[in-house]
Amino acid sequence: MSKPPVLVTGGAGYIGSHAVLALHDAGWRVVVADNLSNGRREAVPDGVELVEVDVGDGAAMARVLAERNIGAIMHFAGSIVVPESVSDPHFYYRNNTVASHALVGAAMTAGVRHILFSSTAATYGAPDTVPIDEDTPTRPINPYGWSKLMTEQMLRDIAATGAFNYGALRYFNVAGADPQGRSGQVGKGATHLLKVACEAAVGKRPHVNVFGTDYPTPDGTCIRDYIHVSDLASAHVLALESLIASPSESFTLNCGYGRGTSVLEMLDALDRVNGAPVPRVMGPRRAGDPPQLVASNRRLVERLGWAPRFADTDTIIQSALDWERRLYA
Ligand code: UDP
């Protein structure tokens, strides 16, 4: 299979940087496009070019793509915090949907034939039943989910004209850090459960809040399907290979383990891995949280032959904690 140069938008960010590592490790030529609004220069490994550019600048992106002879794009750049999308939806539609529209236009101008898009389980909203397969109706309950679903729709309609093929990977809850310690989650105002809890474990914050204990779940807290970021990154490399090998086929795939873990189960596991209890404060529900989101990953496994390596919950937590300790030190 040919390995054209790949452009990774948001490649200096959390998930994007792990995809860059996976591509680089597998011998792909990678160019990162990132405006460093959330990403960090240090997250881009040696030997990978970083272009500081806004993905929403279509003219600039078309030049970057053409000059580097890019054959495929992995598009991670965007905003991902649900409550922020509720308070500032205009920004979310601009930074996610409108910027993606510009990027897709640039890709068409430059003749890029393959696009892999970071989508989300938030496109499903709050389904009544789990596990969630890709045929579950998409009914987002927040602007973040809509901003991603609108981009999916745009890709679907344009791919139908034959301009390119695309893959939409719908991530469940991404967690953990590179097992070799080369990258991990960095961010000022962390909001995601394991990141926040690890910050509490290393003393960066006094405690972790538990948002809601009265959900219709066995222990009353929300259930999520936490996937190790490096397993997600390996799914991206496989998805890219599939797009190149089957250029007339596009796909939408859930990315999760098909395993539900409650907030309290996560925190109990963290206490165990940490070797000391992390202070928790039980509190009210956070707006917009569906009670449970668990993926069916049958299609991901069957279509791509994906074989996760870091699925064990303690392994996910250990990697996140190691990374947090390194950041704190
Ligand atoms: N959560 C929590 N305390 C926190 C952060 C999150 O109890 O400090 C809960 C949140 O209410 C949800 C689950 O953990 O039930 C996962 O939330 P997260 O923000 O990590 O991801 P989301 O599912 O919203 O994308």
Side-chain angles (χ1 to χ4, degrees):
M1 186 197 50
S2 73
K3 284 187 172 178
V6 180
L7 182 99
V8 180
T9 76
Y14 171 47
I15 304 175
S17 67
H18 288 81
V20 169
L21 289 171
L23 287 166
H24 195 54
D25 290 350
W28 292 79
R29 217 188 104 209
V30 184
V31 177
V32 169
D34 201 301
N35 66 4
L36 301 181
S37 62
N38 283 312
R40 299 174 318 124
R41 191 179 299 281
E42 312 84 82
V44 179
D46 290 344
V48 172
E49 184 191 6
L50 167 66
V51 184
E52 264 187 76
V53 60
D54 196 316
V55 167
D57 184 343
M61 289 308 301
R63 279 195 301 277
V64 170
L65 295 168
E67 283 167 10
R68 287 153 183 88
N69 206 17
I70 296 295
I73 296 173
M74 284 192 188
H75 178 32
F76 293 90
S79 301
I80 60 157
V81 179
V82 169
E84 193 180 59
S85 81
V86 177
S87 59
D88 194 354
H90 181 267
F91 174 73
Y92 267 67
Y93 287 114
R94 177 159 58 80
N95 205 39
N96 289 351
T97 318
V98 176
S100 296
H101 179 266
L103 175 67
V104 168
M108 293 164 75
T109 302
V112 175
R113 303 291 302 166
H114 315 286
I115 298 178
L116 189 59
F117 174 57
S118 298
S119 191
T120 169
T123 54
Y124 295 114
D128 299 330
T129 53
V130 294
I132 300 164
D133 69 23
E134 293 82 351
D135 296 327
T136 301
T138 43
R139 297 190 185 112
I141 56 170
N142 50 56
Y144 168 61
W146 277 114
S147 73
K148 290 285 186 174
L149 187 59
M150 289 162 90
T151 304
E152 281 194 21
Q153 185 64 47
M154 173 172 65
L155 289 168
R156 187 171 307 125
D157 291 339
I158 300 173
T161 69
F164 50 72
N165 68 338
Y166 79 98
L169 299 184
R170 291 178 176 160
Y171 310 160
F172 283 63
N173 285 63
V174 189
D178 176 51
Q180 297 176 46
R182 296 171 295 176
S183 193
Q185 207 170 344
V186 180
K188 289 130 255 167
T191 62
H192 290 116
L193 176 67
L194 186 57
K195 174 72 180 170
V196 167
C198 286
E199 287 183 353
V202 303
K204 260 194 231 175
R205 46 174 96 217
H207 62 261
V208 52
N209 290 302
V210 175
F211 294 140
T213 53
D214 60 348
Y215 283 96
T217 59
D219 69 16
T221 64
C222 288
I223 292 174
R224 294 289 182 273
D225 187 343
Y226 295 91
I227 175 174
H228 193 291
V229 65
S230 298
D231 280 336
L232 181 63
S234 73
H236 281 75
V237 177
L238 294 171
L240 175 66
E241 289 170 358
S242 174
L243 287 173
I244 293 170
S246 306
S248 59
E249 289 178 32
S250 294
F251 50 80
T252 300
L253 299 170
N254 286 343
C255 295
Y257 295 133
R259 173 187 67 201
T261 307
S262 74
V263 172
L264 292 182
E265 285 169 341
M266 270 317 256
L267 296 180
D268 287 347
L270 173 62
D271 288 354
R272 201 169 53 239
V273 172
N274 187 42
V278 176
R280 327 171 172 172
V281 173
M282 303 298 182
R285 294 184 179 194
R286 185 175 71 176
D289 279 338
Q292 47 177 343
L293 292 173
V294 179
S296 161
N297 63 17
R298 191 178 54 79
R299 274 193 212 170
L300 177 69
V301 170
E302 285 180 2
R303 179 166 189 120
L304 301 183
W306 180 64
R309 295 165 59 207
F310 309 108
D312 176 63
T313 300
D314 285 12
T315 303
I316 297 174
I317 291 174
Q318 186 72 61
S319 71
L321 199 51
D322 287 348
W323 173 255
E324 205 60 46
R325 285 179 178 143
R326 192 168 305 119
L327 277 182
Y328 201 52

